Amino acid sequence: MPNKLLIKANFCDLRNVKEETLAAYDVIEVRANVVVLNDRARELIARYPVTLKCDLATDNPNIALRSVNGVAEVTPGDVPEADTVLTVNGELKIASGSAEVLARYLQITVNGQVYCPRSLSGKLGNVAVNGQVITWPDGAVQLKSTAVLDSTFALRAKPALYWAARCVVMLDPALDAAALAKQGVRFDTPRAILAQSLAAQAAPLFEDDTDLEIVPDGTAYLKDDAELTAALIRRKGNKLYVDGRLTLTAESAALLPQLEYCKVTGTALVPAAQEKAFSASCVQAEKVQTVRGRLLQGQGRVQVDRWMLEAPDGLCVKGCGMVALTPELEPELIAAKLMLLECGMVQCTAAQKGAVQLVAKDVGFISDDSGKPTEDTDTHMVRADRYVM
């Protein structure tokens, strides 16, 4: 059984590591934001099975560590201490005029998104991004990432360039696009959704590289995932733009003929019995996923038993954290009646595992009842903010 040492730390000092410590393990893995080394330590770890996974390896022990979970900002007035390493799990927002402050950081690691002015996009040499860098025009007024504008927007509009990271939506018939043009309003955004009656006057307000989409008047915009129900149609009408995922249930079969227009930018989850009706309706979807029987979704833990699978069309479990199958379920029943989509973990017996693999899609981990780890390894784990080895 391999003997493994796993160290997880923000700061790991290996300058005084002992050779007998390295020799005691078959595998050593160090995961840290900063690892401090010297020539002796480099020579020793080169002779042993040591893996360093770090943002910065340095000889300097006097490093200031700063860690932010959520939103961090770099501004002209917030000058860091010398030799500062910043780790951000979330979003880093860099303000205009912050080039000198940005350069003062020894290293910045962002697990998420970086927002910065376009003039600074070429000055991110000390920024490692595990995610996306989003830039905006210098001097632009920043809107919400998805900006849904109504008639009140014109009351406060300035003669300026407005920027939205994702999309601008103009569907309110009371919005006066001609008045915005006279005020000198312009928009910079990757995508714009415009009502048909507003399109002619609104389109010139956008940059040439903006993707314009024209939709029928009276269309309601839904920013998040939605479920096609009678209540949704009562509230939003029969013209829908779903900027996300649309889920259909048994109730939806009678509602499809009522739709005059429906656009889905994400996946449409459609029961098999409604697949033909869905295709024949006015619904446009980026992707259609046919689901089996009843849909159970968004729960932390679900136990699937025989009663749940004996429904005529079976069961689809989607987006649940943990799914446990009761032991009496035969592999044949699982394969014929169950569908598993985007679940974190599925627990089943060893006899059931093959059938589960057949009906699972985008599932994180499938565990049988053996109770044995996937690797025959004796792992010693150390977690610390600062660790000296």
Side-chain angles (χ1 to χ4, degrees), residues 269 289-297 299 301-305 308-309 313-326 329 331 333-349 352-367:
L269 298 172
Q289 172 72 63
T290 303
V291 299
R292 177 176 288 164
R294 292 176 295 182
L295 179 64
L296 183 62
Q297 63 178 333
Q299 297 191 21
R301 181 180 176 88
V302 171
Q303 178 171 286
V304 178
D305 58 21
M308 298 171 76
L309 295 188
D313 297 323
L315 175 70
C316 176
V317 181
K318 179 184 173 300
C320 294
M322 165 75 78
V323 182
L325 276 61
T326 54
L329 297 177
L333 180 62
I334 294 170
K337 291 294 189 76
L338 182 62
M339 177 179 283
L340 299 165
L341 299 176
E342 302 172 15
C343 294
M345 180 176 179
V346 179
Q347 277 188 337
C348 60
T349 67
Q352 295 169 337
K353 192 169 184 177
V356 169
Q357 290 173 326
L358 288 176
V359 301
K361 183 177 181 181
D362 296 329
V363 167
F365 181 68
I366 299 173
S367 172

Side-chain angles (χ1 to χ4, degrees), residues 87-104:
T87 301
V88 180
N89 298 306
E91 295 181 359
L92 175 64
K93 295 183 177 181
I94 304 173
S96 299
S98 300
E100 292 184 6
V101 173
L102 189 64
R104 288 285 300 270

